């Protein structure tokens, strides 16, 4: 009998993603990259992210392969609630390198 850990629940990602789309108007390719990255949070929300100092449950990460020709990358901050296995999106943003 295989023991499976239930996947994480994602909260507020669609709303924050739409807000980022309206603000930034990214290319279709970048939209797909960010959308596919969001799906990876179901399996492992810690992957590629770092805890934000001073906030016990806030995590921040650069979205892989999101760098554009002008040296900007897409980032995401989100809260991880381990007790409920919920990942709640705080914000998407486009920032200049280095972070």
């Amino acid at each position: 009998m295989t023991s499976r850990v239930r996947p994480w629940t994602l909260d507020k990602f669609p709303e924050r993603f739409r807000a980022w789309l309206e603000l930034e108007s990214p290319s279709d390719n970048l939209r797909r990259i960010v959308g596919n990255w969001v799906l990876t949070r179901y399996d492992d929300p810690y992957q590629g992210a770092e805890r934000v100092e001073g906030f016990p449950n806030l995590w921040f990460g650069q979205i892989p392969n999101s760098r554009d020709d002008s040296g900007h990358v897409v980032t995401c901050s989100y809260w991880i609630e381990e007790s409920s296995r919920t990942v709640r999106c705080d914000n998407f943003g486009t920032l200049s390198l280095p972070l």
Side-chain angles (χ1 to χ4, degrees), residues 46-80:
Y46 302 101
Q47 179 185 11
E50 296 180 10
R51 189 180 299 234
V52 176
E53 188 175 331
F55 297 89
N57 297 327
L58 183 61
W59 291 73
F60 174 84
Q62 174 183 328
I63 297 174
N65 304 311
S66 67
R67 183 176 179 169
D68 66 14
D69 293 335
S70 59
H72 295 93
V73 295
V74 180
T75 62
C76 185
S77 58
Y78 49 91
W79 301 89
I80 298 176

Side-chain angles (χ1 to χ4, degrees), residues 6-17 34-46 76 78-81 84-90 92:
R6 74 180 166 97
W8 293 83
T9 299
L10 302 186
D11 185 34
K12 305 289 185 204
F13 278 89
E15 298 92 335
R16 302 299 192 264
F17 183 71
V34 174
N36 288 335
W37 174 86
V38 168
L39 298 177
T40 67
R41 303 301 91 183
Y42 279 113
D43 295 322
D44 185 359
Y46 302 101
C76 185
Y78 49 91
W79 301 89
I80 298 176
E81 299 293 336
S84 64
R85 293 190 61 81
T86 300
V87 184
R88 184 172 32 92
C89 186
D90 186 62
F92 287 97

